[in-house]
């Protein structure tokens, strides 16, 4: 368990387990939901779990390096950008098709 | 058990419970509210990781901006509320997600299951020999150090340092710029005349489709057959 490497009494593995659970839940949300907005929520959960992993490894393995923080910050920015464009697309699709079910978006199918 | 461990377990239960609620509920609005709980829990983890900067950033960006955007789009797509929440592949996806969690748990959890890939034909070629034992086999080099007092200043300097993260920083800035313009362009309100013209076109198309469908149900085969049989007499 590596308690000698624990910070604040918490071993690194605890964070990894929580992040793994969050990622799996988010993956299920992305693949199993019928609503595009709910799929985006799943993506947000996955991005959060990735950030949790990045910052946990930063704290336990390299707290004086800025690399972990920089990567986490880029994930933040990309998540915000992805949400903005994704929700704009969903709103635009809903306006023209009156549906946000990805299975109805077959206009580009041959 | 220390106080931090108790806080960690409470946060973990809150995060995972609310995340499970988010992906299973049929009421999307409540799901969006529980998503905020999950984001708050992750911010709590950042505090436990001695990273106040990212805890505040998490609250500001995820809860202040992304959650609000999601709640707005849930309310703007209100017509989709009565829909079945899960699609046909939900069952197999649930099994796949549970398997993924199990693999991650075995590899990086307390068990540190070592999988030796050096004997596997294709995978061993992908990894160098010393890193062929990937899953759980690479020992972590724990730093066992405190976070430096100046970590925020160091982070800020690293972002604008040419030798560190200046290029990705500029790329991300460009991305945000493009996203601002793109989101406004995609979701813009078009001129009423355009919308009316489009709606008229759609209505015309629908009327044509309806007209094309009309003769089939109104001309069943039975009367013709009846007429034919009466003609035989």
């Amino acid at each position: 368990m590596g308690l000698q490497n624990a910070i604040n009494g918490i071993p690194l593995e605890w964070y990894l387990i929580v992040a793994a659970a969050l990622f799996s839940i988010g993956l299920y949300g992305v693949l199993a939901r019928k609503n595009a907005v709910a799929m985006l929520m799943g993506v947000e959960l996955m991005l959060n779990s990735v950030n949790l992993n990045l910052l946990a490894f930063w704290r336990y393995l390299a707290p004086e390096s800025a690399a972990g923080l920089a990567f986490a910050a880029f994930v933040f920015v990309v998540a915000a950008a992805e949400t903005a464009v994704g929700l704009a697309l969903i709103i635009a699709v809903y306006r023209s098709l009156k549906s946000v079910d990805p299975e109805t978006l077959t206009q580009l199918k041959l | 058990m220390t106080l931090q461990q108790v806080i960690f377990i409470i946060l973990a239960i809150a995060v995972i419970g609310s995340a499970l609620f988010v992906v299973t509920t049929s009421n999307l609005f409540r799901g969006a509210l529980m998503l905020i709980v999950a984001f708050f829990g992750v911010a709590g983890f950042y505090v436990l990781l001695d990273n106040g900067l990212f805890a505040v950033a998490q609250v500001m960006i995820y809860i202040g901006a992304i959650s609000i955007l999601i709640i707005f789009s849930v309310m703007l797509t209100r017509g989709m509320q009565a829909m079945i929440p899960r699609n046909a592949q939900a069952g197999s996806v649930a099994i796949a997600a549970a398997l993924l969690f199990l693999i991650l748990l075995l590899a990086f959890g307390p068990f540190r299951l070592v999988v030796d890939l050096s004997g596997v034909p294709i995978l061993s070629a992908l990894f160098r020999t010393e890193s062929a034992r990937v899953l759980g086999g690479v020992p972590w080099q724990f730093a066992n150090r405190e976070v430096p007092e100046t970590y925020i200043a160091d982070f800020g300097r690293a972002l604008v340092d040419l030798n560190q993260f200046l290029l990705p920083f500029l790329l991300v800035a460009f991305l945000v710029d493009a996203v601002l313009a793109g989101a406004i362009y995609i979701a813009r309100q078009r001129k009423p005349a355009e919308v009316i013209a489009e709606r008229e076109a759609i209505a015309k198309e629908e009327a044509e489709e309806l007209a094309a469908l009309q003769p089939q149900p109104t001309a069943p085969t039975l009367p013709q057959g009846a007429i034919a049989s009466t003609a035989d007499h």
Side-chain angles (χ1 to χ4, degrees):
Chain A
M1 212 55 182
L3 263 174
Q4 69 277 7
N5 289 314
I7 286 166
N8 294 329
I10 301 161
L12 173 59
E13 281 86 355
W14 290 22
Y15 288 105
L16 302 187
I17 292 169
V18 170
L22 205 56
F23 190 88
S24 306
I25 293 169
L27 184 72
Y28 171 77
V30 172
L31 295 179
R33 297 306 293 256
K34 233 171 141 40
N35 188 320
V37 182
M39 289 171 70
L40 264 182
M41 290 184 194
V43 173
E44 296 305 326
L45 288 177
M46 288 165 80
L47 287 166
N48 255 287
S49 81
V50 169
N51 250 350
L52 184 58
N53 252 2
L54 283 173
L55 288 179
F57 276 116
W58 165 80
R59 178 68 190 91
Y60 282 79
L61 305 190
E64 65 287 310
S65 149
L69 295 177
F71 273 97
F74 293 143
V75 171
F76 264 72
V77 176
V78 171
E82 170 256 336
T83 313
V85 172
L87 292 178
L89 274 173
I90 290 169
I91 299 294
V93 164
Y94 184 71
R95 248 192 225 142
S96 59
L97 294 180
K98 292 280 164 265
S99 169
V100 289
D101 183 357
E103 283 167 30
T104 62
L105 308 182
T106 54
Q107 272 71 28
L108 291 180
K109 246 187 194 171
L110 282 174
Chain B
M1 186 167 269
T2 63
L3 179 64
Q4 281 97 342
Q5 287 178 327
V6 174
I7 293 172
F8 183 95
I9 290 166
I10 293 170
L11 283 175
I13 291 169
V15 167
I16 292 175
S18 54
L20 278 173
F21 186 86
V22 166
V23 297
T24 51
T25 180
S26 58
N27 186 336
L28 261 190
F29 189 75
R30 281 189 195 158
L33 293 181
M34 289 306 269
L35 194 64
I36 295 180
V37 176
F39 289 160
F40 253 121
V42 174
F45 284 136
Y46 294 165
V47 173
L48 277 181
L49 286 167
D50 301 329
N51 197 330
L53 172 70
F54 275 72
V56 173
Q58 168 91 2
V59 172
M60 275 169 51
I61 297 174
Y62 272 98
I63 299 170
I66 291 179
S67 296
I68 300 301
L69 271 179
I70 287 176
I71 287 175
F72 261 100
S73 38
V74 167
M75 292 195 290
L76 284 171
T77 58
R78 212 64 222 227
M80 304 306 292
Q81 286 286 307
M83 219 165 60
I84 312 150
R86 280 173 285 279
N87 57 20
Q89 65 197 4
S92 48
V93 165
I95 294 167
L99 267 181
L100 174 71
F101 175 62
L102 199 69
I103 290 169
L104 291 174
L105 189 67
L106 287 176
F108 300 112
F111 310 111
R112 302 302 301 278
L113 181 77
V114 177
V115 178
D116 196 347
L117 290 180
S118 49
V120 184
I122 302 163
L123 288 175
S124 60
L126 291 176
F127 298 101
R128 285 169 293 135
T129 43
E130 67 266 29
S131 63
R133 294 152 61 97
V134 274
L135 283 185
V138 180
W140 290 317
Q141 306 289 323
F142 283 96
N144 278 326
R145 279 188 292 276
E146 291 299 310
V147 176
E149 287 282 312
T150 58
Y151 81 100
I152 296 175
D154 295 343
F155 169 54
R157 281 196 204 94
L159 277 186
V160 290
D161 189 342
L162 189 62
N163 295 318
Q164 293 193 56
F165 299 103
L166 181 63
L167 185 62
F169 184 65
L170 289 179
L171 281 176
V172 159
F174 183 72
L175 172 79
V176 170
D177 214 7
V179 160
L180 271 177
I184 293 170
Y185 177 77
I186 292 167
R188 79 195 192 285
Q189 191 79 51
R190 284 165 306 168
K191 291 193 188 83
E194 276 178 61
V195 178
I196 290 166
E198 192 176 304
R199 276 190 195 149
E200 276 171 358
I202 289 170
K204 199 174 159 191
E205 205 174 290
E206 278 174 357
E208 277 168 9
E209 274 176 24
L210 209 64
L213 284 171
Q214 224 35 275
Q216 284 175 337
T218 52
T221 49
L222 187 65
Q224 287 175 352
I227 292 161
S229 63
T230 48
D232 282 343
H233 283 284

